[in-house]
Structures are given as structure tokens and as C-alpha cells.
């Protein structure tokens, strides 16, 4: 059975994005290093330090599904329809965004869900965490 892991980058003042909804201050390290790690979905590569690349490769190999909030989904522009990790993404939301769900994309919207159904998400994550 997989594990449920929690991970999030956040500034010390508790913000994930700046006032203009930009996240480069927190996530810029994904593109500023000398080691290239291809994203699972192709067409994109992370560029990190050697130490960060090792951690990132572990995350890419072992992450089986993601749970995120609607605001994060909106800020990321729905990752263009395919999250870089290439795994199912469950979006906790009060309402499904216009134009979603779409065919052949790995996003499941959970409108009105206060606490996601962990066993169902674990099953979708296959044997990974």
C-alpha cells in the first residue's frame, strides 16, 4: 500500500504566491541549476542543483497521485492539461471550473469535498506514494 505524503513550498510569512499570483520566488529553484531532469510528461525539464536533482528524481519516481486545491490549479493554469509529474491530480474545490472536466486529462475535481477519500486516491496512485 502506498503512503500519503504532504509537501508544499511556502514562504515564512505563509504565502505560496506573491500578490500578483507569481510563484517564481518560491519555485524558481526548479529552473536555475545546472542539472537537467526531464518532467514525466516530456517537453519540459527541471534545472536544479545536483542535490535538488536527486530529491526531484526520487519524487518523480515515487509520486503516484497529487491532491491540490482549486486556487493552486487556477494559478498554474491547469498545468496546460498535464501536470509535469504525469500522475493523476485530484483538485479539491467548491465548484468545477468552466470547461472542465476534459477528456483524456489526469484531473479529477472534487466539488464540495471537505476531506478527500484517501483509499480511492491511493488506489489511483497505484503502488507509488
Amino acid at each position: 500500500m502506498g503512503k500519503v505524503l504532504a509537501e508544499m513550498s511556502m514562504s515564512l510569512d505563509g504565502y505560496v504566491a506573491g500578490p500578483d499570483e507569481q510563484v517564481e520566488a518560491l519555485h524558481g529553484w526548479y529552473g536555475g541549476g545546472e542539472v537537467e531532469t526531464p518532467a514525466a510528461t516530456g517537453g519540459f525539464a527541471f534545472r536544479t542543483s545536483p542535490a535538488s536533482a536527486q530529491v526531484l528524481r526520487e519524487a518523480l519516481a515515487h509520486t503516484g497521485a497529487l491532491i491540490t486545491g482549486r486556487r493552486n490549479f487556477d494559478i498554474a493554469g491547469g498545468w496546460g492539461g498535464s501536470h509535469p509529474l504525469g500522475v493523476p491530480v485530484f483538485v479539491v474545490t467548491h465548484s468545477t471550473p468552466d470547461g472542465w472536466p476534459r477528456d483524456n486529462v489526469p484531473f479529477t475535481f472534487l466539488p464540495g469535498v471537505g476531506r478527500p477519500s484517501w483509499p480511492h486516491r491511493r488506489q489511483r496512485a497505484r503502488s507509488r506514494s
Side-chain angles (χ1 to χ4, degrees), residues 7 29-30 37 48-63 85:
E7 181 275 323
W29 65 276
Y30 279 135
T37 303
T48 63
S49 70
S52 292
Q54 182 176 347
V55 172
L56 185 56
R57 286 186 190 115
E58 285 289 317
L60 289 168
H62 296 289
T63 301
L85 295 186

Side-chain angles (χ1 to χ4, degrees), residues 28-110:
W29 65 276
Y30 279 135
E34 66 274 12
V35 178
E36 187 171 289
T37 303
T41 56
F44 172 79
F46 301 96
R47 295 194 60 80
T48 63
S49 70
S52 292
Q54 182 176 347
V55 172
L56 185 56
R57 286 186 190 115
E58 285 289 317
L60 289 168
H62 296 289
T63 301
L66 298 171
I67 299 173
T68 190
R70 168 72 185 276
R71 181 159 169 76
N72 189 45
F73 175 85
D74 289 344
I75 290 171
W79 297 278
S82 180
H83 193 279
L85 295 186
V87 297
V89 178
F90 298 90
V91 182
V92 179
T93 180
H94 291 290
S95 62
T96 301
D98 291 338
W100 293 88
R102 299 177 185 168
D103 292 334
N104 301 315
V105 295
F107 298 101
T108 301
F109 294 90
L110 307 170

